[in-house]
Amino acid sequence: MSTDTLLTFEESLEKFDPAMGLEVHVELNTNTKMFCGCPAVFGGEPNTQVCPTCLGLPGAMPVVNAKAVESAMRIGLALNCEIAEWCRFARKNYFYPDMPKNFQTSQYDEPIAFEGYLDVEIDGENGPEIWRVDIERAHMEEDTGKSLHVGGATGRIHGADHSLVDYNRAGIPLIEIVTKPILGSREKAPEVAKAYVAQLRELIVALGVSDARMDQGSIRADVNLSLSPRAVVEEGAPAPVSKPVLGTRTETKNVNSLRSVERAVRYEMQRHAAILDGGGSILQETRHWHEDTGITTSGRPKSDADDYRYFPEPDLVPVAPSREWVEELRGTLPELPREKRARLQKDWGFSDLEMRDTIGAGALGLVEETIAAGAAPQSARKWWLSEMARRANDSGQEISELGVTPADVAAVQALVDAGSLNDKLARQVFDGLIAGEGTPDEIVASRGLAIVSDDGALSAAVDKAIAENPGVADKIRDGKVAAAGALIGAVMKEMRGQADAARVRELILEKLT
C-alpha cells in the first residue's frame, strides 16, 4: 500500500478552499426487501434470503414495497424536502459481481424527495453554530449483495485467492440522501461532515425507519471532496458574487463511523492539496477508506451519470403519492432532534457546556436511556462522559461499541446509590462488563466487590489503623478531626477500597473523641 504525500491541514487551508458533498445510504427496517417478499434481516446464513426476483432470474417481476415508499417520504419530510407528486424508478446499468441483475433499480432524474435541508449544530468559539446543509435529493433504490475476498492480507480483492458472494443483502430497501455542495466550511469542514452524518443518523433513528447501525452497514456515508484555489478578498473589497468553480472531486466510499467521516475529509483535503500544490491534477475516482491506517487508496475511475445509461424501469409503475397521504405522514413525524435536545437539556438541568460535551461524545441517546432506566441525570452523564468515553478513546472505538448498555450503567449506579459500591469499585464492575463477565450483580458477586458495612470487620480494621498510626490518633484526640482522613485512607487500603468510608469515619471518631 503506497503512502501519499500530504500537506499539513493548515497549509492546505492557506492555499485552497474545500467543497464537500455527502451521500448517505440508509437501509430501511422493512420486513421484506424492496421489490420482493424475501426477509430483510441482518446476519442470515449466506444466500438463504433470496428468490428469483432479487437474484434477477428471467421472468421474475418486481413489486414495490409500500412501507419503503412511506419511509422514504417520512425521511424526505423530516429533511424539509418537497415530495414528488409523481416519480419513477430507473435502471442504473453497471457490472458488479455482487449485483445479480447487472443493473440496480434506483431513481435518477425523478426522485421521491428533493430540495430540502438539515440544520446542523457544531461547536463555535462563542457557543453553538448552525450550518445549513442543503439536500439535493433523497431517492429510493435497492442495496447490492456483499463480496468476501478470501486469501489476501487486507480482505480486499487485490491479492485474494478467490471471492465469495452473498446475495442476502441484494434488494434490501435503501434511501440515498445526497447533499448539495457544502461550501465555505474551510477549517470546520471535517467537523461539519461528522456533525451532519451524526445528526442525520439521529434523525433517522428518531423516525424509526432504520436502526442506522454504522457497524452493520445499515447507514454508510460516501464522502465527496474537491479543492479549488483559495479565493482571497482584499480588505474592504466586495465579496465575489459569481458561483465558485469546483475542483475535480474524489468519492471515498462506505465510510462506516462518525470518527472516520471526519478523518476521511481531513485526509483527502491534505492529499488533494499536496497534489495540486505540486502541479499535479486530481483523478476523478472512488477511494477506499482504511480505518486501521487512516488513509484512502485508489478504487476505480469515477463514472458520471451518463456512463450508467439510466432509463425508466419498464417493470414498475410510477409512484404517485396523494397529497392527503403526504400530509398524513407529515403528522406522524416525531419531535425533531434539535427540539428534543433543547427539551432534554432543560429537563436534566445541564449547562450549555455539559449538553454540548454530551452531544459531542455521541452519548446523548445513551444518557437518555440511562436516565430512563432509573439513574439521575448527572450520574448518567458522569459515567458515559468520563469512564466510558475514556475507555472508548483508549480502544479507538465509538462509545456505543464498548458492550456496556444504558441498563448496565443504571444498574451500577443503583448499587452505588444503595451503598453497595463506591465509584472505585464501580469502575471494576465496568471492567467486568466490557470483558463479558455477566450482569453488574453477577460481577460484584464473582469479584467480591461489595462494600463492607459490617461493624465487626470495620471496627477491627479501624483498631489496626489506630495502632499503626499513633501520631495521627493523638491529633484526633486533641480535636484535629480533619486528621481522620489519614486513618480512613489506611482502613480503605487494608480493605482493598471496599470499606464503607462514611461508617469508618464514624467509628474512628467514636473511638478517639
Side-chain angles (χ1 to χ4, degrees):
M1 188 182 298
S2 62
T3 301
D4 293 307
T5 301
L6 306 178
L7 286 190
T8 68
F9 189 67
E10 292 72 20
E11 288 173 328
S12 70
L13 290 169
E14 287 176 3
K15 300 181 179 183
F16 301 99
D17 287 324
M20 294 187 299
L22 295 159
E23 301 172 12
V24 176
H25 296 79
V26 179
E27 282 188 357
L28 300 178
N29 58 2
T30 54
N31 292 326
T32 57
K33 292 185 179 181
M34 189 74 206
F35 302 112
C36 67
C38 290
V41 295
F42 177 82
E45 287 296 315
N47 296 311
T48 58
Q49 296 160 195
V50 295
C51 71
T53 299
C54 56
L55 288 176
L57 299 184
M61 295 294 286
V63 177
V64 176
N65 186 324
K67 183 65 175 180
V69 175
E70 177 183 295
S71 295
M73 290 195 289
R74 293 182 74 231
I75 290 172
L77 290 169
L79 291 172
N80 304 289
C81 290
E82 297 182 41
I83 304 300
E85 295 187 9
W86 189 94
C87 62
R88 288 187 294 184
F89 286 96
R91 290 189 179 185
K92 181 181 181 182
N93 295 276
Y94 60 90
F95 173 74
Y96 282 154
D98 50 10
M99 177 54 74
K101 297 183 295 188
N102 284 346
F103 64 85
Q104 181 186 35
T105 306
S106 181
Q107 291 188 305
Y108 174 46
D109 55 343
E110 298 168 305
I112 192 164
F114 53 94
E115 294 297 331
Y117 64 87
L118 179 64
D119 285 335
V120 173
E121 186 175 297
I122 65 170
D123 290 338
E125 294 181 4
N126 301 311
E129 290 182 7
I130 303 299
W131 278 82
R132 174 157 292 187
V133 177
D134 290 318
I135 306 296
E136 180 177 303
R137 56 194 282 138
H139 65 261
M140 299 180 287
E141 60 186 22
E142 59 181 339
D143 212 344
T144 64
K146 185 176 182 180
S147 296
L148 176 66
H149 306 297
V150 182
T154 65
R156 299 188 182 278
I157 194 169
H158 301 292
D161 295 330
H162 61 281
S163 297
L164 303 172
V165 183
D166 178 9
Y167 288 126
N168 281 351
R169 197 175 67 182
I172 295 289
L174 276 184
I175 302 300
E176 182 175 351
I177 302 164
V178 183
T179 72
K180 294 183 179 181
I182 304 170
L183 307 173
S185 56
R186 293 199 38 80
E187 72 278 0
K188 294 183 181 293
E191 184 182 359
V192 170
K194 177 183 178 181
Y196 168 75
V197 176
Q199 290 171 45
L200 177 60
R201 178 184 179 277
E202 190 178 31
L203 179 62
I204 295 297
V205 171
L207 289 168
V209 296
S210 172
D211 62 7
R213 290 190 56 172
M214 299 192 84
D215 60 317
Q216 293 185 357
S218 53
I219 182 169
R220 350 188 249 280
D222 297 342
V223 177
N224 292 273
L225 186 118
S226 67
L227 297 183
S228 54
R230 184 179 178 187
V232 179
V233 180
E234 295 184 8
E235 187 175 351
V241 295
S242 60
K243 185 176 180 180
V245 177
L246 302 180
T248 302
R249 66 186 171 94
T250 57
E251 181 180 7
T252 304
K253 301 287 287 185
N254 295 330
V255 185
N256 61 2
S257 78
L258 300 178
R259 178 170 173 261
S260 294
V261 169
E262 183 175 26
R263 294 170 69 202
V265 171
R266 184 179 293 269
Y267 182 87
E268 281 296 281
M269 285 176 63
Q270 294 177 241
R271 188 183 70 84
H272 281 221
I275 293 172
L276 296 172
D277 191 52
S281 58
I282 302 298
L283 173 65
Q284 182 172 308
E285 62 178 348
T286 64
R287 308 276 297 179
H288 296 299
W289 169 252
H290 299 270
E291 179 65 37
D292 53 348
T293 57
I295 68 171
T296 67
T297 55
S298 181
R300 62 181 176 88
K302 176 61 178 174
S303 302
D304 289 317
D306 291 347
D307 298 320
Y308 291 122
R309 298 295 187 266
Y310 284 99
F311 65 86
E313 169 56 70
D315 292 336
L316 291 170
V317 298
V319 176
S322 69
R323 296 304 91 181
E324 291 78 14
W325 189 20
V326 171
E327 292 309 310
E328 179 184 337
L329 292 177
R330 194 188 304 276
T332 70
L333 297 182
E335 181 182 27
L336 297 181
R338 279 188 64 209
E339 298 168 357
K340 182 178 180 180
R341 286 196 294 271
R343 176 179 59 79
L344 291 177
Q345 180 177 351
K346 182 179 179 181
D347 291 347
W348 296 345
F350 284 5
S351 68
D352 288 345
L353 179 60
E354 288 174 333
M355 196 65 176
R356 189 160 67 247
D357 288 348
T358 303
I359 294 166
L364 183 65
L366 298 169
V367 170
E368 182 185 10
E369 291 180 44
T370 304
I371 293 168
Q378 286 295 348
S379 296
R381 182 183 178 278
K382 175 189 72 176
W383 288 121
W384 285 111
L385 266 68
S386 59
E387 196 64 24
M388 297 301 109
R390 176 184 62 79
R391 292 167 184 264
N393 184 63
D394 290 346
S395 61
Q397 295 174 283
E398 297 291 339
I399 195 170
S400 59
E401 298 171 350
L402 291 172
V404 177
T405 69
D408 290 332
V409 175
V412 171
Q413 183 58 41
L415 293 171
V416 173
D417 293 340
S420 300
L421 295 176
N422 55 30
D423 282 4
K424 181 178 179 181
L425 296 172
R427 293 185 182 94
Q428 296 182 53
V429 176
F430 287 124
D431 290 337
L433 286 167
I434 291 172
E437 296 176 12
T439 67
D441 286 335
E442 291 169 345
I443 293 166
V444 169
S446 64
R447 292 194 175 203
L449 297 177
I451 281 180
V452 177
S453 299
D454 175 63
D455 274 5
L458 295 180
S459 184
V462 168
D463 288 342
K464 181 179 180 182
I466 290 172
E468 293 178 351
N469 298 275
V472 175
D474 287 341
K475 289 180 181 179
I476 298 171
R477 291 188 183 101
D478 291 339
K480 297 180 180 178
V481 177
L487 293 184
I488 294 171
V491 173
M492 296 298 287
K493 182 177 180 181
E494 173 71 17
M495 302 192 73
R496 298 180 304 156
Q498 292 178 242
D500 183 339
R503 184 56 184 150
V504 168
R505 177 181 174 82
E506 291 174 359
L507 290 172
I508 290 170
L509 296 182
E510 286 175 10
K511 292 174 182 290
L512 297 178
T513 59

